Amino acid sequence: MEKIVKPMSGFLALIISLAVLGLGVFFFTRPEPAGTNIILGILCVLVFIFFIKGLMIIQPNHSRVLTFFGKYVGSVKENGLFFINPLYGTHKLSLRSQNMQGQTLKVNDKMGNPIEIGAVVVWQVGDTYRAAYDVANYVDYVNAQSEAAIRHLAVSFPYDNLEDEHAGITLREGGEKVNQILEQELTDRLARAGIIVQEARISHLAYASEIAGAMLQRQQATAIVAARTKIVEGAVGMVDLALKKLSAENIVELDDERKAAMVSNLMVVLCGEKAAQPILNAGTLHH
């Protein structure tokens, strides 16, 4: 468990160490008596080394984890100049936000289709004790667990709803929901290392190259079918309206056979991809 400590300011220790160093130089330069001066000078140098060893500078958004002969003492997260027990061991950790741009992974989605997926993760160290001692290397741990989380996300949902029409969430259309699921899974996985996940987003998503062409054709065919369906629905409505208007206003009397011919012609005109060519018919339906 992380324990925050606040050591004493190091400016007083720095002044004392410089003063002791100056006193040591003074003793070494005195001519008489030589033996006593050398001993006092050596003592001053040892005191100077003691104070200098205990001085610690912490830059902004950095921290130090302190140990005493293998026992965890605490963590210092304030920045500045501090003085600690010179016998303490220190381990430096950065508290700055870091980006992890993972490599593009080739995995199978929920339907078994090979896809390419990549993500960007923004993270920072939150618990210095866990980051330093609960995992061997917290940076490698973040990279490995992030890759595992992205792979798990890919196999949990289909790429789109072409094969799974009842899919509530798809990777392509999930948007913020997919990002939230990825961020939550990363938070759960990286909590052991004391890592805070600030943001996680899908940065690359596509079908694998070996099936990209076929899936593109399938998407185009689906779009064409959907468009044709709308066109037919509209054409049927227009034909029905035309027949009702002709009958209501007594413009012309049509029997069933002539109605069928009219419906056929109108459907061809309304559903055809090209403009209809006008033809002058001087005869009748039967001649």
Side-chain angles (χ1 to χ4, degrees):
M1 184 67 65
E2 182 183 60
K3 181 173 64 175
I4 304 299
V5 296
K6 185 177 180 180
M8 63 178 293
S9 174
F11 291 101
L12 178 61
L14 178 62
I15 294 174
I16 294 175
S17 63
L18 293 177
V20 171
L21 178 62
L23 185 62
V25 173
F26 170 75
F27 283 125
F28 279 122
T29 56
R30 287 186 61 185
E32 296 293 341
T36 303
N37 290 337
I38 292 176
I39 294 175
L40 293 176
I42 292 175
L43 290 176
C44 289
V45 170
L46 293 177
V47 173
F48 169 77
I49 295 175
F50 176 83
F51 277 99
I52 289 297
K53 181 66 171 59
L55 290 177
M56 178 179 64
I57 299 177
I58 300 180
Q59 304 294 338
N61 283 327
H62 284 74
S63 66
R64 293 288 183 90
V65 178
L66 307 179
T67 57
F68 184 69
F69 292 106
K71 182 180 180 181
Y72 174 69
V73 176
S75 301
V76 183
K77 290 187 174 181
E78 292 188 23
N79 61 293
L81 178 64
F82 300 100
F83 179 75
I84 60 174
N85 187 335
L87 299 179
Y88 282 171
T90 63
H91 181 65
K92 184 186 298 184
L93 291 176
S94 173
L95 302 179
R96 294 176 294 184
S97 297
Q98 302 185 52
N99 280 323
M100 192 218 71
Q101 175 66 62
Q103 61 179 346
T104 300
L105 306 175
K106 181 180 289 187
V107 296
N108 293 334
D109 68 354
K110 184 179 180 181
M111 307 307 297
N113 298 316
I115 63 173
E116 295 178 351
I117 186 171
V120 175
V121 181
V122 182
W123 59 276
Q124 68 175 162
V125 174
D127 190 314
T128 55
Y129 175 84
R130 290 187 173 183
Y133 300 116
D134 282 359
V135 294
N137 186 308
Y138 69 92
V139 176
D140 292 341
Y141 187 84
V142 170
N143 293 334
Q145 291 299 321
S146 297
E147 180 177 333
I150 295 170
R151 288 183 180 275
H152 183 259
L153 176 73
V155 302
S156 300
F157 302 101
Y159 179 87
D160 53 27
N161 56 6
L162 287 178
E163 295 184 5
D164 189 358
E165 297 180 355
H166 303 289
I169 300 176
T170 63
L171 297 175
R172 187 166 64 91
E173 299 177 354
E176 288 298 324
K177 183 62 176 178
V178 173
N179 292 330
Q180 291 174 5
I181 294 173
L182 176 60
E183 184 174 329
Q184 183 59 50
E185 180 162 358
L186 283 170
T187 298
D188 296 339
R189 287 174 175 267
L190 299 180
R192 180 178 299 178
I195 303 299
I196 299 174
V197 179
Q198 298 175 319
E199 185 180 9
R201 290 186 174 275
I202 300 297
S203 60
H204 175 80
L205 181 65
Y207 280 114
S209 57
E210 56 266 26
I211 68 166
M215 298 307 293
L216 178 60
Q217 292 179 353
R218 182 173 182 177
Q219 291 175 352
Q220 291 173 342
T222 302
I224 292 173
V225 170
R228 289 293 184 185
T229 302
K230 291 294 183 181
I231 291 174
V232 171
E233 291 177 356
V236 171
M238 295 175 67
V239 170
D240 181 62
L241 177 62
L243 293 175
K244 288 181 179 179
K245 293 286 288 184
L246 290 173
S247 177
E249 298 181 10
N250 295 320
I251 296 175
V252 62
E253 291 292 335
L254 299 174
D255 57 19
D256 292 340
E257 188 175 0
R258 286 179 171 82
K259 285 182 179 179
M262 180 179 176
V263 169
S264 176
N265 292 334
L266 286 175
M267 292 297 292
V268 170
V269 171
L270 295 174
C271 297
E273 294 185 358
K274 298 181 179 179
Q277 297 294 326
I279 298 176
L280 179 61
N281 188 359
T284 65
L285 182 62
H286 303 287
H287 296 86

